[in-house]
Amino acid sequence: MATLRGLREVPRHLLVCEKSNFGHDKSRHRHLVETHYHNYRVSFLIPECGILSKELKNLVMETGSYYFVKNLPVHELITQEFINTFVKKGSCYALTYNTNIDEDNTVALLPNGKLILSLDKDTYEETGLQGHPSQYFGRKIMKFIVSIDLMDLSFKPDSKKYERILWSFKEKKPLKFDFLLTWHHTGVEESMMSYFCNYQIHEHQPKIAVSTVTDLQCPVLQSSELRGEPEVSCSAGELLDWLGAVFCNAKLNNEPNSFISTYCCPQPSTVVAKAYLCTITGFILPEKICLLLEQLCHYFDEPKLAPWVTLSVQGFADSPVSWRENEHGFRKGGEHLYNFVIFNNQDYWLQMAVGANDDCPP
């Protein structure tokens, strides 16, 4: 019975909502985008729009490629050649593919040069590396977190620290994974395709799906009322629920004979003739998301019928971190996401959500 009750329990979720203006000196919007490293889906919704502007369309089409490398040894990510070629000459991101954060060993490379490993107890002890217990396993510790700073001045080939870590990954406990990698840099440099040519490497382009939603019932929002106001405007939480339904292509009219969804649009609402929905799926750089957010802000440089647009970003469910170096777990959902509501007066709402095994969003 206790097991059944546990299955029925709704896992804890955290939703942080705040409002600001893109013109404010202390606005956090750019920092929060840049420190959410591992993004797999980006969606934006523009009410009263049927065709994208040339600038937005170009940004969507130029999201950038990413790479899949099969059976890549972890020690390849700590060689001085890799560090000098990619880590020190741009922002390099890597994430193990098809690994479950709560069960498997997982690895992530952050753009600040930190290599984060989430290891099970046996692997952790076999590597002999220094780390700390995961904060999400209670008294029976089954996972450990190891952080290696590749940019540390003491992390060089002639140091004992470097030699010990390299020996651990190459000889004591060799670790191999399928990796997703991407790299943001300026200028013409070494390509990942040529660098990892001795391994099975494939270049991928993000998948882009666009649609025009007609006669869409939209919540009425007021930029100054984050909590909403009865019979006047909807709250940030209500909007996020509504967005989820729109992204799932759910019906919003609460038909009595529907066995799929009884959800309906929060009130008050208004019906827009058409709305443009675009979803990009892949391994998407924070730098590209910053450009997309900036362009959506410029959407209102000329008068528009739409009072607001949204930009939603979802992180990989099995990434070992959410924001910055905050430990991330899966449990029953694994979600870590954020959403911007961009108003025509340059005010914005920012909603950040994480699941049960996460710290509060920054």
Side-chain angles (χ1 to χ4, degrees):
M1 290 299 293
T3 302
L4 289 174
R5 283 197 298 270
L7 289 173
R8 294 192 194 103
E9 288 177 359
V10 177
R12 178 196 67 123
H13 296 270
L14 286 173
L15 173 62
V16 175
C17 304
E18 61 182 57
K19 60 184 176 71
S20 185
N21 186 282
F22 289 108
H24 289 174
D25 292 338
K26 294 184 179 180
S27 174
R28 303 194 306 150
H29 64 278
R30 190 172 188 87
H31 175 71
L32 288 165
V33 173
E34 290 175 341
T35 54
H36 192 262
Y37 302 127
H38 301 112
N39 310 290
Y40 88 96
R41 181 173 293 164
V42 177
S43 303
F44 60 87
L45 178 72
I46 307 178
E48 302 291 7
C49 173
I51 301 175
L52 275 191
S53 66
K54 181 182 178 181
E55 293 78 10
L56 267 174
K57 188 175 181 179
N58 288 341
L59 269 181
V60 169
M61 301 307 295
E62 297 170 2
T63 307
S65 57
Y66 61 98
Y67 304 89
F68 173 77
V69 186
K70 193 168 183 62
N71 290 325
L72 180 67
V74 172
H75 70 76
E76 288 283 9
L77 301 180
I78 67 169
T79 65
Q80 283 301 303
E81 185 181 3
F82 178 82
I83 294 171
N84 291 332
T85 303
F86 296 105
V87 178
K88 291 184 177 180
K89 292 184 178 179
S91 300
C92 191
Y93 304 78
L95 183 66
T96 47
Y97 178 73
N98 208 21
T99 53
N100 298 322
I101 185 66
D102 287 354
E103 301 171 351
D104 305 325
N105 297 317
T106 59
V107 181
L109 176 62
L110 313 185
N112 60 6
K114 295 287 183 67
L115 187 68
I116 308 294
L117 301 95
S118 176
L119 304 175
D120 61 48
K121 187 173 184 289
D122 291 341
T123 304
Y124 174 71
E125 291 175 349
E126 288 179 55
T127 61
L129 299 173
Q130 290 185 339
H132 60 84
S134 167
Q135 59 182 320
Y136 299 120
F137 277 85
R139 286 181 292 181
K140 189 176 181 180
I141 300 171
M142 301 301 294
K143 293 294 289 286
F144 288 81
I145 308 300
V146 176
S147 177
I148 301 170
D149 188 356
L150 305 183
M151 300 290 279
D152 188 348
L153 295 177
S154 65
F155 195 74
K156 49 189 178 181
D158 58 350
S159 68
K160 290 183 178 180
K161 178 181 179 180
Y162 179 84
E163 290 177 354
R164 178 172 56 83
I165 294 174
L166 186 62
W167 170 75
S168 176
F169 287 145
K170 289 188 73 172
E171 300 179 34
K172 193 171 191 294
K173 183 60 179 177
L175 295 174
K176 291 184 179 182
F177 299 95
D178 295 343
F179 273 97
L180 298 175
L181 295 106
T182 187
W183 184 40
H184 177 74
H185 61 97
T186 56
V188 179
E189 303 285 350
E190 172 89 56
S191 74
M192 284 192 167
M193 285 292 290
S194 59
Y195 185 87
F196 290 114
C197 62
N198 293 329
Y199 297 93
Q200 294 183 51
I201 180 170
H202 302 279
E203 184 176 3
H204 292 274
Q205 296 295 330
K207 295 180 180 178
I208 301 169
V210 298
S211 62
T212 301
V213 186
T214 57
D215 298 326
L216 180 63
Q217 199 172 6
C218 293
V220 172
L221 307 178
Q222 289 188 342
S223 62
S224 59
E225 295 293 339
L226 193 65
R227 297 177 182 272
E229 190 175 341
E231 300 182 1
V232 177
S233 64
C234 298
S235 68
E238 289 174 319
L239 173 81
L240 198 61
D241 288 340
W242 174 82
L243 269 179
V246 173
F247 293 160
C248 293
N249 197 28
K251 300 294 183 181
L252 304 178
N253 48 15
N254 191 16
E255 293 178 350
N257 59 348
S258 173
F259 295 96
I260 298 175
S261 172
T262 57
Y263 180 81
C264 58
C265 181
Q267 298 299 319
S269 66
T270 183
V271 176
V272 300
K274 54 188 175 182
Y276 190 93
L277 174 61
C278 177
T279 298
I280 309 165
T281 306
F283 193 4
I284 305 162
L285 289 162
E287 289 85 354
K288 298 294 184 179
I289 299 173
C290 280
L291 292 175
L292 189 55
L293 177 62
E294 183 179 344
Q295 193 59 51
L296 285 171
C297 292
H298 286 300
Y299 180 76
F300 293 110
D301 286 352
E302 297 179 1
K304 297 290 192 303
L305 290 174
W308 48 264
V309 301
T310 68
L311 175 68
S312 305
V313 180
Q314 292 174 266
F316 283 90
D318 290 294
S319 168
V321 297
S322 53
W323 272 273
R324 299 192 297 250
E325 296 170 39
N326 294 345
E327 184 185 350
H328 170 67
F330 188 91
R331 195 178 176 187
K332 294 183 180 181
E335 60 274 6
H336 56 109
L337 57 94
Y338 62 90
N339 178 67
F340 281 96
V341 185
I342 304 155
F343 292 92
N344 54 12
N345 62 355
Q346 293 300 293
D347 284 349
Y348 69 85
W349 291 354
L350 172 60
Q351 299 147 301
M352 298 169 285
V354 293
N357 287 1
D358 281 275
D359 286 335
C360 185

